[in-house]
Amino acid sequence: MTDGEDESGGETAVRRERFAGGPAREFLSSMAFDDRLFAADLAVDRAHVVMLAEREIVDDDDAGAILEALDDVADAGFEALPDGEDVHEAIETAVIDRVGPEGGRMHTARSRNDEVATCLRYEYRETLLDALETTVAAREALCEVAEAERETVMPGYTHLQPAQPTTVAHWALSYEAALARDTERLLAAYARTNRSPLGAAAFAGTPFEVDRERVAELLGFESVLDNSMDAVSTRDFLVEGTAAFAGLATTLSGLAEDLVVYANKGLVELDDDYASTSSIMPQKKNPDTLELVRSTAGDAYGGLQGLLTTLKGLPRAYNRDLQNASPHAWRVADDVVEATDVAAGAVATATWPADELEAAAGEGFSTATGVADLLAMCGLPFRTAHEVVAEAAERGADYDALNAACEDVLGEGIDTYADRETVEATLDPTASVASRDSAGGPAPKAVAETLAAALDGCATDTDRVGGLAADLEAARDALAAEVTTYA
Ligand code: ARG
């Protein structure tokens, strides 16, 4: 196949002697990464041939023979394909090898340009659906953590400095929310991927009376890309999808980094399955899987950059540069989906040591904001309350320090504003969290509402993704049924 010279020197039914490929044959070939398009191309070929027969562009006998040959090619598998510049050409050659010259009618009214563009979209739909399922599963894993750790108080950080106490549930749902938006972006990319270029031919349409809508329907596409020059030229659906993956990878990198930091502080215990050890230091348990998840964002940005740079400034309509565009998209998708799955597994199996978390939650006068809020609620301007608590922070984080600071700054005791019991309650991390019950806040009551909405969102998206997968399945069945009528 791609491994050097074959006996015919590269000459096939499709690629006659003149363009059999000389020294640059391997360089020209996309066979090394075209196995990903094998199933897509067979589907596209079948749908196209069915449409050609329905339109009486190819007679039923020839269509039947081609469709039978395609089944045989499918059974033999990608590895059995004859030599070819790409999978499209190799499959056509394989059909002609089986059917004879009449097999060449399958390429009537199309070009490899609309063919490859259609195959890429057909396959990318599956890739996006897989990503969507994996992303929703990660959200569900975060919801489960939120459910189990609704009241588990933990330190919250800004600038990686202790900032305010929060809960593990609040932390987990912060990433669920981000992944929900990543899901929206993948769904949007899916919608714009799900359009059929077929029938555009090389770029300038065809004199045959093709039915573009019918081919789109047979392949489960939502609609047709109208302008035939645009249809073969554009890879913007890959840009959009890859950008969505880069965004998803960014979310994952933050999640991974948090877990690496928390593991470092003893605030989370990763399951051994998601950790590794050192080949020399026997005591080590390292968060390697999460470090690799964190690094995936770098690969994704590199892939997006590679894709965009490949596409930049290409003239209309088809240029062979496009052959090197899609591998960026496959690589990014595969890497990010795998990282999503691993991150979800790490989250689902981690344990949260409640006592350590609560102790850490109170460190660094993390309840200071709550005290300032209390003083402001008792009538002091917030800025003045901030000044009092900042002054207290220099001395300590208890009632006496606050009272002394109040006297210094305001010339009166803190009991002018709130009694000792109320002030001391604000210094308790658990009470501090419970008081912050504004919508979307960490108080268990507020988190319960966020969690309910998140679970609803997961269920809705599961239905959506299931519906899209079912549409593809139905189209596959309908095409298979159509094909059997030519047997
Ligand atoms: N393998 C090519 C690609 O991936 C498709 C072939 C179109 N080739 C051409 N020379 N018009 O883009």
Side-chain angles (χ1 to χ4, degrees):
M1 228 168 5
T2 51
D3 44 10
E5 302 296 308
D6 67 5
E7 279 160 25
S8 63
E11 183 184 346
T12 65
V14 176
R15 190 139 301 274
R16 288 170 305 276
E17 198 175 355
R18 196 172 139 214
F19 294 112
R25 207 165 119 212
E26 295 240 357
F27 188 68
L28 281 164
S29 173
S30 54
M31 285 302 268
F33 44 86
D34 270 358
D35 55 337
R36 189 160 189 145
L37 297 181
F38 183 58
D41 194 71
L42 290 164
V44 169
D45 291 341
R46 288 176 177 128
H48 183 65
V49 170
V50 165
M51 182 278 291
L52 291 176
E54 286 174 356
R55 285 268 155 168
E56 297 177 357
I57 296 168
V58 167
D59 71 36
D60 285 0
D61 285 349
D62 286 340
I66 293 167
L67 291 168
E68 193 187 328
L70 285 170
D71 283 346
D72 196 43
V73 171
D75 289 345
F78 179 78
E79 296 303 323
L81 285 177
D83 191 35
E85 206 172 75
D86 55 32
V87 67
H88 322 290
E89 194 187 284
I91 289 178
E92 188 186 334
T93 300
V95 168
I96 293 170
D97 287 347
R98 285 164 173 76
V99 173
E102 301 307 313
R105 294 190 187 277
M106 72 185 272
H107 207 58
T108 311
R110 76 170 186 192
S111 151
R112 270 188 303 158
N113 298 351
D114 60 341
E115 187 180 357
V116 68
T118 310
C119 291
L120 291 172
R121 287 170 182 269
Y122 188 94
E123 174 57 25
Y124 205 50
R125 287 190 310 198
E126 300 290 342
T127 300
L128 289 170
L129 283 184
D130 187 30
L132 281 159
E133 278 166 20
T134 310
T135 306
V136 175
R139 287 162 57 191
E140 286 166 349
L142 287 161
C143 285
E144 268 171 45
V145 171
E147 187 105 57
E149 311 293 343
R150 231 177 83 189
E151 311 211 348
T152 311
V153 171
M154 75 177 292
Y157 300 91
T158 61
H159 312 273
L160 263 188
Q161 302 291 325
Q164 289 182 280
T166 184
T167 62
V168 173
H170 193 236
W171 170 85
L173 291 174
S174 78
Y175 281 107
E176 192 286 327
L179 289 175
R181 290 189 300 277
D182 289 317
T183 307
E184 287 174 29
R185 283 184 277 269
L186 289 169
L187 281 166
Y190 185 93
R192 270 179 287 276
T193 297
N194 197 17
R195 298 172 186 177
S196 175
L198 214 66
F203 77 90
T206 167
F208 291 96
E209 287 197 22
V210 294
D211 185 344
R212 298 189 64 196
E213 297 287 347
R214 175 63 174 151
V215 184
E217 183 197 357
L218 286 167
L219 293 170
F221 286 109
E222 182 74 41
S223 60
V224 164
L225 285 162
D226 179 61
N227 182 288
S228 60
M229 191 182 285
D230 170 52
V232 298
S233 302
T234 186
R235 296 292 183 272
D236 60 357
F237 65 104
L238 294 178
V239 171
E240 189 173 0
T242 306
F245 281 116
L248 169 56
T250 308
T251 305
L252 295 176
S253 71
L255 172 75
E257 167 69 359
D258 274 358
L259 289 171
V260 168
V261 169
Y262 298 163
N264 175 268
K265 293 174 185 281
L267 300 179
V268 71
E269 177 75 25
L270 297 177
D271 192 272
D272 285 358
D273 284 350
Y274 291 91
S276 187
T277 188
S278 160
S279 60
I280 178 169
M281 298 166 282
Q283 85 287 8
K284 294 275 276 170
K285 176 174 174 181
N286 300 322
D288 293 43
T289 55
L290 293 162
E291 291 163 5
L292 288 167
V293 168
R294 188 173 59 188
S295 78
T296 303
D299 295 334
Y301 308 160
L304 177 60
Q305 187 72 21
L307 175 62
L308 286 166
T309 311
T310 304
L311 298 178
K312 179 187 176 293
L314 288 186
R316 288 286 187 255
Y318 179 87
N319 300 275
R320 196 59 169 272
D321 311 51
L322 292 176
Q323 179 166 292
N324 280 342
S326 40
H328 291 296
W330 304 137
R331 225 167 11 243
V332 169
D334 293 349
D335 288 352
V336 177
V337 171
E338 189 182 18
T340 308
D341 193 41
V342 167
V347 162
T349 55
T351 49
W352 299 87
D355 294 343
E356 283 83 346
L357 284 161
E358 194 184 350
E363 278 167 17
F365 200 3
S366 68
T367 51
T369 311
V371 180
D373 286 337
L374 172 69
L375 294 176
M377 281 173 137
C378 293
L380 217 52
F382 181 79
R383 187 53 53 215
T384 310
H386 185 281
E387 191 187 340
V388 169
V389 181
E391 179 69 29
E394 303 286 315
R395 309 165 195 238
D398 58 10
Y399 181 84
D400 291 339
L402 285 161
N403 193 40
C406 228
E407 303 221 314
D408 264 15
V409 176
L410 303 172
E412 54 195 2
I414 198 166
D415 59 356
T416 317
Y417 298 93
D419 60 38
R420 185 178 187 118
E421 206 186 328
T422 311
V423 172
E424 284 186 336
T426 63
L427 296 171
D428 172 56
T430 304
S432 170
V433 165
S435 75
R436 273 171 287 116
D437 59 357
S438 51
K445 201 173 115 218
V447 159
E449 285 178 26
T450 304
L451 175 59
L455 287 168
D456 261 8
C458 288
T460 304
D461 286 345
T462 298
D463 286 352
R464 234 178 242 159
V465 174
L468 295 172
D471 289 348
L472 296 190
E473 187 68 48
R476 268 195 298 274
D477 290 349
L479 176 58
E482 220 35 84
V483 165
T484 55
T485 66
Y486 294 86

